[in-house]
Amino acid sequence: MLKMNVISFFSVLMLIGGLLVETAVAQNKTSAPRVETTAGTIEGVNNSGVYEYKGVPYAKPPVRRLRWRPPQPLESWSGVRSTKNFGPRCIQRNLFEEMVFRSYGMSEDCLYLNVWSPTNQEGAGLPVLVYFYGGELLAGDGSEPRYDGENMARTKGIVTLTVNYRLSVFGFFAHPELSAESPHNASGNYGLLDQAAALRWVRQNISQFGGDPNRITIAGESAGSMSVSAHMASPLSRDLIAGAIGESGSIMGTFSTISLEQAERKGVNFQKVVGADSVGQLRDMSFEKLIKVMNNPQIDNFSVAVDGYFLPKRPVEIYDAGEQADVPLLLGWNSQEMSYQALLVGQEPTPENYKELIKNLYPFNTERVLELYPGNTREQVIQSAEDLTTDRFIRFSTWKWGDIHAETSGSPVYRYYYTHSRPPKVTTDESSSSSSSSSGAEYLRRLNT
């Protein structure tokens, strides 16, 4: 009898202990998660199976004297920093109506990233996906719902991140004064340097979120895809990644590079249009004034420069020499990257208009182009113009990227072709037009001139 009582007593203790453990686990699963990063402790949100950390800083705010400088290391903080809301998006114009932001306003203080990680981290060492948004290096934000990492974390067990980076004049402005003050004699490419700094942050911190720092895949679409191809080429970031995904675009055509001298001339022209005497005066100006000047027709959009630092030489030369990151690459494009209207630019899709356009674009190869992209009927013109503008804008440069990487690396290349029909646009404004089409028309105008 005594034996039975002893057994019962210990059974009760074990039961109580089990309940306490279950309660502790349950509380842990519902409490706000905390992570110790290299700069300090952050607290996120437990979203029923996914830990979310939004607005996590990865570099000092690039404001005042840090405007147009490479991203600087974070200063450590004490206590617990809340990362439950998206940080501000980087300064940009309202260019693309399909962009929806959940960020907290707009600011030069915008170097933040967002992390979604599974709550089930048994064994940890999870794969990591770092995603760069698109927007022609002019617009975009890591808070856009289409880039949300919750589903990847929840259903695929992938630690997923989106990264903010500087845009337009704040991200790609080069100038002789800036090159002179740089220890690398380089300027421009600040948006890409931001991305590289974020990758270093991920490498240093991602194990705290359950990720494997040796399993980092970078991905992006459009300008984000171009960024991926640039990081594969750059000595600053190519050793930080284990895989790459490019969705429509590469730095070998979609956003071709220019020399540092060309980039600096663009910067000097911008300074003259603004009416400043020096970079110091430009740094003292409000971001509102600077971004407004980008609407001036005398200003061309800033480009990625072969600056001798982020890019020591032209990307195609780096890939041709096999000096890019030797990692698996998945890339592809959509069946309709651009509407036929982006090529015809307001003209009716008649065979006469189309043939005249092809003659102007390809005066030495008119017949060959018309053979490959025929336009003998209205329907044929629409299809061929759509195919040609897609090839010129996105498809060719993406294909070229994959071909060179397959030839000069030891890693596999996978291609996809996305043909799912685009759903009809929902709008109550009959006068509104497709922002992507107008943006594409502007890109083609710049390309043709």
Side-chain angles (χ1 to χ4, degrees):
M1 186 70 177
L2 178 60
K3 186 177 180 181
M4 290 293 294
N5 286 338
V6 172
I7 293 175
S8 299
F9 175 71
F10 280 106
S11 298
V12 170
L13 285 180
M14 290 177 67
L15 177 61
I16 293 174
L19 289 174
L20 288 173
V21 170
E22 288 182 12
T23 302
V25 170
Q27 287 175 346
N28 185 54
K29 286 184 177 180
T30 57
S31 61
R34 291 185 177 182
V35 168
E36 185 69 33
T37 72
T38 51
T41 304
I42 61 174
E43 183 176 85
V45 174
N46 188 335
N47 184 12
S48 301
V50 176
Y51 293 144
E52 300 180 351
Y53 308 86
K54 299 171 182 174
V56 181
Y58 66 85
K60 277 185 182 178
V63 299
R64 294 181 288 278
R65 298 298 97 187
L66 295 184
R67 180 188 281 176
W68 300 313
R69 293 188 191 276
Q72 299 299 304
L74 274 175
E75 293 181 358
S76 299
W77 62 82
S78 59
V80 179
R81 180 172 185 141
S82 176
T83 55
K84 300 179 181 181
N85 298 292
F86 292 106
R89 60 188 174 276
C90 294
I91 304 299
Q92 58 194 272
R93 291 174 289 164
N94 184 16
L95 297 174
F96 305 99
E97 63 183 8
E98 72 269 19
M99 286 186 175
V100 177
F101 303 126
R102 298 175 291 174
S103 49
Y104 181 70
M106 187 165 60
S107 172
E108 284 188 81
D109 176 5
C110 65
L111 300 187
Y112 298 91
L113 52 78
N114 312 295
V115 186
W116 291 265
S117 64
T119 57
N120 181 9
Q121 298 182 2
E122 255 185 69
L126 300 173
V128 180
L129 178 70
V130 180
Y131 202 90
F132 303 124
Y133 51 76
E136 293 193 28
L137 304 178
L138 300 172
D141 187 58
S143 73
E144 292 184 62
R146 56 184 169 180
Y147 306 133
D148 193 289
E150 179 188 340
N151 191 54
M152 296 289 283
R154 186 183 301 280
T155 64
K156 304 298 181 182
I158 298 173
V159 181
T160 308
L161 301 91
T162 59
V163 176
N164 286 6
Y165 57 93
R166 282 173 283 182
L167 301 161
S168 189
V169 63
F170 300 96
F172 297 90
F173 174 74
H175 193 280
E177 288 183 40
L178 294 174
S179 299
E181 71 182 29
S182 164
H184 310 286
N185 300 311
S187 62
N189 294 347
Y190 301 111
L192 292 171
L193 291 170
D194 293 341
Q195 295 173 2
L199 287 177
R200 290 193 296 273
W201 184 97
V202 173
R203 190 67 176 263
Q204 294 166 2
N205 291 281
I206 205 62
S207 60
Q208 300 295 101
F209 298 85
D212 185 342
N214 296 312
R215 299 177 68 190
I216 299 171
T217 296
I218 57 174
E221 57 93 12
S222 192
S225 181
M226 181 282 299
S227 299
V228 170
S229 66
H231 286 294
M232 286 180 64
S234 176
L236 302 186
S237 43
R238 61 191 175 205
D239 294 331
L240 301 175
I241 61 177
I245 301 172
E247 299 170 289
S248 301
S250 88
I251 201 168
M252 291 174 281
T254 311
F255 297 88
S256 297
T257 58
I258 60 176
S259 69
L260 178 59
E261 291 73 23
Q262 289 173 303
E264 289 176 341
R265 285 198 293 272
K266 283 188 176 187
V268 170
N269 180 59
F270 180 85
Q271 175 190 331
K272 290 178 179 177
V273 173
V274 173
D277 294 329
S278 66
V279 167
Q281 284 191 7
L282 288 173
R283 282 184 169 134
D284 288 336
M285 290 181 178
S286 68
F287 72 77
E288 291 92 347
K289 180 173 183 178
L290 294 177
I291 198 66
K292 186 177 181 180
V293 174
M294 291 302 299
N295 292 317
N296 191 310
Q298 295 177 268
I299 299 296
D300 194 11
N301 289 328
F302 296 99
S303 306
V304 175
V306 180
D307 60 355
Y309 177 48
F310 182 84
L311 290 173
K313 53 188 175 182
R314 292 171 58 234
V316 68
E317 295 174 354
I318 294 173
Y319 277 87
D320 277 339
E323 296 170 353
Q324 74 276 19
D326 192 354
V327 298
L329 172 63
L330 167 65
L331 50 74
W333 47 84
N334 304 319
S335 58
Q336 184 186 350
E337 293 285 359
M338 201 66 67
S339 166
Y340 74 91
Q341 296 153 328
L343 190 70
L344 290 167
V345 193
Q347 298 183 69
E348 282 295 310
T350 64
E352 296 74 23
N353 287 339
Y354 177 68
K355 289 175 182 177
E356 185 64 24
L357 174 66
I358 297 301
K359 182 179 178 181
N360 291 332
L361 288 176
Y362 303 98
F364 304 109
N365 299 287
T366 304
E367 295 306 316
R368 178 59 174 158
V369 174
L370 287 173
E371 180 183 335
L372 296 171
Y373 302 91
N376 299 314
T377 66
R378 179 184 176 88
E379 291 72 22
Q380 204 173 52
V381 166
I382 290 174
Q383 185 61 57
S384 289
E386 184 177 288
D387 290 341
L388 181 56
T389 191
T390 291
D391 288 350
R392 284 162 59 88
F393 179 52
I394 290 288
R395 188 180 291 150
F396 173 75
S397 69
T398 313
W399 182 278
K400 184 176 182 179
W401 175 19
D403 267 7
I404 296 178
H405 190 60
E407 292 171 3
T408 63
S409 79
S411 297
V413 174
Y414 306 92
R415 291 192 179 99
Y416 71 84
Y417 181 46
Y418 188 74
T419 60
H420 186 73
S421 298
R422 181 180 299 175
K425 182 179 176 182
V426 178
T427 180
T428 56
D429 183 359
E430 296 181 358
S431 65
S432 65
S433 59
S434 170
S435 293
S436 58
S437 295
S438 61
S439 172
E442 173 62 17
Y443 166 79
L444 291 172
R445 181 194 67 77
R446 297 199 306 270
L447 183 68
N448 295 336
T449 55

